[in-house]
Amino acid sequence: MIDTATAPGSGGAPPAAPTRAGRRPATTSGPLRREYIWLALLLVGTGAAYLWNLTASGWANSFYAAAVQSGAKSWKAFFFGSSDWANAITVDKTPASLWPMELSARLFGFGSWTMLLPQVLLGVASVALLWAVVRRHFGANAGLLAGLALAVTPVAALMFRYNNPDALLVFLMIAAVWTMLRALDDGRWRWLVLCGLLVGFGFLAKQLQAGLVLPALALTYLFAGPPKLGKRIAQLFAAGAAMVAGAGWWVLVAQLWPASDRPYFGGSTNNSIIELTLGYNGLDRLGLGSGSGKPGGGGAPGGDPGGGVTAGVDLAAGGDMPQMHGGFHPFGGQAGITRLFNETVGGQIAWLIPAALILLVAAIILRGRAPRTDGKRAALLLLGGWGLVTGLVFSFMGGIFHEYYTVALAPALAGTIGAAGAVVWAERERRWVRAVLVLSVALTALTAFVLLSRTPDFVPWLRWLIVGVAVLAAAGLVLRGGRRLTIATLLAAVFVGLAAPTAYAVETLRQPHTGGIVKAGPATDSGFPGFPGGNRDAQSDPESGAAAPGGDAPGGATDAGGDADRERAGGGGPMGDEKPGDEVLALLEQDGSAYTWVAATISSNNAASYQLAADYPVMAIGGFGGGDPAPTLAQFQRDVTEGKIHYFIAGENHGPGGSSTSEGSKITAWVKDHYTATEVDGVTLYDLTATPKAG
């Protein structure tokens, strides 16, 4: 049997077998130097590409940008993930994903570039770490292929330049896989404990989504770990305890902190981070919970516009959010085995799925007679299991699912391609293995052709070029030949796999993206219209353009569409990402430091825009969708009496996620009854420091 590391075309020196300590013997300096030169080129190229045009998206998702702004000003807001630095309410996630951006803002000042730079660095680090994961058992070239495949995956090119929580989550999941591979090499307790800590910290980035990698981690070690079975089980329990500690320290402090001295946990129904984790960000996501996860019909906080929106629901009018179980899915399409290939999700991630599945099965068969602790097979099981679990969960989850969630699948998919591809390529002299390679190339070309055909005006020639190169690659595999033909065939196969996603990734880098609902690749009219950044990117739809820090909207967008958006919102101002009018901004900035909150408004989308522009805290009543029971009417009245809030900015009576009986609706009614409205820049303001109406 030919070793994958020494096979023609695998490149580099063969990786020596790890010693008991998990370290490799010294190798020749020439091949090792070349390995790191190629790695440096990959990382520099990834970093340069991700940094290019970085500030075009302005504040990106203003919901999280406002939280970063707050964490840069207040350590309490930093710790809890508050939307405002007066600490009224938090975002609807645990806060760790905000911490790198907030530290950057503290060090270099708060702005679009300094906020998004840590996300880019996490992307580059993820590519490097995946290279290390795959190289460990499959060689440097396999690691380069895996790292490159991750870097050019369209959804990765989007989310490693965006301020959603996914960048830190993905990095921590790859880090957990790397530590597990170390544990599989030598069976040491420290690697199991570190793996558990990393998964636990991943919980603090995006809660239960970090658990997608858990089944593969545990089952692979249970099967292939070096110690005896009893010790393996004990080590896994230790890893579980470390995981609980990695997340539990923050949860414990947050839960024990007096509620009167901390912000309300946004997205929860009873001010509990545990309820938020198990409810809205847990069972409800899978479609196993109540469906809405929110009072008054449920709004989706944090960029998720509801627990299942059906056609005809008037969000601006506060219509209840119907359940998604078996019904219409505006985000990511209908649940089912084909979801990852559908119109909206396919272009984000699906390019290499058929090849990865075929190569994974073939590679495991080729390693079938290896010892139980075989490192290559264990790595294949770990990467492939991670991808299978993640893919199946995303395919069948009945709750809220957004296209960009698939970035959590990207490293597993890219790693499987690199690792399994190396094993199968090394055995290509076998007839059935050549048939597997030909089938992989053919299905990859077919997938690219279908996905590219959905955007016929985008590089229309590319799909035909991919088909032509695929024919040449298949011919090279069938004919076989010398070294030159082998290298040409390998390069052709790589082109077939990566050309289309690279084109989508380049288009992603070129475009600005804003709001909570974003997609990579060419702009399409799919998704859910009416939400900021919803069905189009900021470039193709000027009304969804993000206001760049301290300036106009990027990509040529101006405030021309602002008035229309304000009217749709009921006169409440910009929807999520647009800059408020100059007159409104001047009022907010005047004596802004004299108040705890310069203004209050329904929903975090409205509040974030005013806060980012004015640089003073703005209270987001009801959290993201306006449906959270915070503050209550009594609490709001107390804050007004104490002179803590200057203006109330009117808009939707209760926000897109609230209801006519929500606290936001009650607060709005109370303000209208007791204070006089003033129209400024088309926005309805109430001065809460003025004398209330008589009677």
Side-chain angles (χ1 to χ4, degrees):
M1 188 174 288
I2 301 173
D3 195 322
T4 54
T6 59
S10 65
T19 63
R20 181 66 180 172
R23 298 180 179 179
R24 302 180 182 281
T27 184
T28 56
S29 59
L32 185 62
R33 187 181 300 115
R34 286 194 295 272
E35 283 186 23
Y36 287 105
I37 289 174
W38 282 109
L39 173 63
L41 290 174
L42 172 62
L43 298 183
V44 170
T46 301
Y50 285 3
L51 286 171
W52 179 75
N53 203 31
L54 183 61
T55 59
S57 296
W59 297 124
N61 189 343
S62 61
F63 176 72
Y64 292 115
V68 173
Q69 179 190 33
S70 300
K73 293 176 178 288
S74 162
W75 285 112
K76 181 182 287 188
F78 177 97
F79 181 80
F80 287 106
S82 300
S83 293
D84 64 278
W85 58 99
N87 293 292
I89 196 166
T90 72
V91 297
D92 64 328
K93 303 287 190 299
T94 38
S97 65
L98 301 170
W99 291 344
M101 294 183 281
E102 291 168 342
L103 291 174
S104 176
R106 283 181 175 270
L107 289 173
F108 306 112
F110 176 62
S112 175
W113 198 85
T114 56
M115 175 180 67
L116 297 178
L117 174 62
Q119 307 295 84
V120 171
L121 296 179
L122 284 168
V124 175
S126 296
V127 170
L129 200 52
L130 186 63
W131 173 87
V133 165
V134 176
R135 176 191 178 273
R136 186 164 189 82
H137 290 291
F138 304 97
N141 282 355
L144 283 173
L145 176 60
L148 179 61
L150 174 60
V152 302
T153 299
V155 70
L158 171 63
M159 298 316 294
F160 285 130
R161 292 160 44 87
Y162 214 66
N163 56 350
N164 279 19
D166 303 80
L168 181 62
L169 171 72
V170 169
F171 172 78
L172 292 171
M173 294 170 86
I174 300 173
V177 169
W178 181 81
T179 56
M180 180 55 72
L181 286 179
R182 298 299 301 268
L184 288 164
D185 281 345
D186 58 29
R188 293 192 177 187
W189 289 81
R190 63 185 183 188
W191 297 118
L192 274 300
V193 171
L194 180 57
C195 181
L197 286 171
L198 288 168
V199 175
F201 198 72
F203 170 90
L204 296 184
K206 208 176 181 187
Q207 293 185 293
L208 294 183
Q209 192 170 336
L212 290 172
V213 74
L214 269 180
L217 291 171
L219 293 176
T220 301
Y221 192 78
L222 189 63
F223 171 73
K228 293 182 178 180
L229 179 61
K231 184 176 181 180
R232 297 201 299 273
I233 294 174
Q235 288 176 319
L236 287 174
F237 273 107
M243 179 182 67
V244 172
W249 68 271
W250 184 89
V251 173
L252 183 64
V253 172
Q255 283 294 128
L256 294 180
W257 201 296
S260 60
D261 190 43
R262 62 161 171 81
Y264 185 93
F265 290 128
S268 69
T269 58
N270 58 5
N271 203 9
S272 167
I273 198 68
I274 296 175
E275 183 270 328
L276 173 66
T277 300
L278 299 179
Y280 182 75
N281 285 331
L283 295 177
D284 284 358
R285 297 277 170 165
L286 297 175
L288 302 175
S290 61
S292 68
K294 302 286 294 166
D304 292 330
V309 187
T310 60
V313 176
D314 185 357
L315 294 177
D320 286 354
M321 300 294 186
Q323 295 182 355
M324 301 181 74
H325 310 292
F328 174 74
H329 289 246
F331 315 112
Q334 181 69 40
I337 196 64
T338 61
R339 172 186 269 179
L340 297 182
F341 295 89
N342 72 19
E343 292 281 344
T344 63
V345 183
Q348 314 299 301
I349 193 67
W351 311 92
L352 296 174
I353 290 178
L357 291 172
I358 293 170
L359 293 174
L360 176 64
V361 172
I364 291 176
I365 291 173
L366 288 169
R367 303 301 299 179
R369 295 185 179 181
R372 178 183 63 82
T373 57
D374 177 61
K376 289 183 178 180
R377 184 175 58 197
L380 289 168
L381 292 173
L382 181 51
L383 291 167
W386 176 14
L388 286 171
V389 170
T390 303
L392 289 173
V393 169
F394 286 165
S395 294
F396 290 100
M397 59 188 290
I400 295 168
F401 172 77
H402 285 315
E403 294 87 350
Y404 66 80
Y405 290 179
T406 56
V407 71
L409 176 58
L413 188 59
T416 300
I417 285 289
V423 172
V424 176
W425 179 258
E427 300 285 354
R428 66 190 179 280
E429 294 302 319
R430 298 187 181 193
R431 183 176 299 176
W432 74 268
V433 173
R434 288 201 305 276
V436 166
L437 289 169
V438 170
L439 179 61
S440 299
V441 170
L443 287 179
T444 301
L446 177 62
T447 302
F449 189 91
V450 171
L451 295 180
L452 287 171
S453 297
R454 293 172 177 172
T455 52
D457 296 330
F458 175 71
V459 289
W461 50 268
L462 182 58
R463 61 184 183 269
W464 298 105
L465 178 60
I466 289 173
V467 170
V469 175
V471 172
L472 295 177
L477 288 167
V478 172
L479 295 175
R480 290 178 289 175
R483 178 177 176 81
R484 290 185 178 179
L485 180 59
T486 298
I487 293 176
T489 300
L490 179 61
L491 292 176
V494 171
F495 176 87
V496 171
L498 299 185
T502 299
Y504 259 57
V506 171
E507 182 68 6
T508 301
L509 302 180
R510 190 183 69 83
Q511 295 177 355
H513 297 82
T514 63
I517 308 171
V518 288
K519 294 188 288 292
T524 60
D525 290 333
S526 56
F528 188 80
F531 274 83
N535 63 330
R536 299 173 186 234
D537 60 87
Q539 188 178 46
S540 63
D541 185 356
E543 289 187 359
S544 67
D552 291 328
T558 67
D559 284 337
D563 290 341
D565 277 338
R566 281 190 284 271
E567 290 176 7
R568 286 199 300 271
M575 284 294 290
D577 298 287
E578 293 182 0
K579 184 180 177 181
D582 291 338
E583 292 186 43
V584 172
L585 193 55
L587 284 176
L588 297 181
E589 292 174 339
Q590 183 178 1
D591 298 326
S593 59
Y595 302 94
T596 304
W597 293 278
V598 71
T601 189
I602 306 296
S603 90
S604 298
N605 263 339
N606 281 337
S609 295
Y610 291 108
Q611 178 174 292
L612 289 166
D615 200 29
Y616 288 109
V618 175
M619 178 187 290
I621 298 172
F624 176 84
D628 294 344
T632 63
L633 175 59
Q635 290 170 332
F636 185 83
Q637 291 171 332
R638 182 191 63 210
D639 289 334
V640 171
T641 300
E642 295 175 357
K644 292 182 177 180
I645 309 172
H646 194 177
Y647 292 103
F648 178 80
I649 303 173
E652 302 161 359
N653 287 338
H654 39 72
S659 70
S660 58
T661 59
S662 67
E663 293 297 321
S665 182
K666 296 175 184 177
I667 289 171
T668 300
W670 178 80
V671 169
K672 289 181 177 180
D673 287 343
H674 289 81
Y675 294 90
T676 302
T678 303
E679 293 291 323
V680 181
D681 281 339
V683 178
T684 303
L685 295 177
Y686 295 84
D687 187 348
L688 301 182
T689 64
T691 302
K693 295 178 183 178

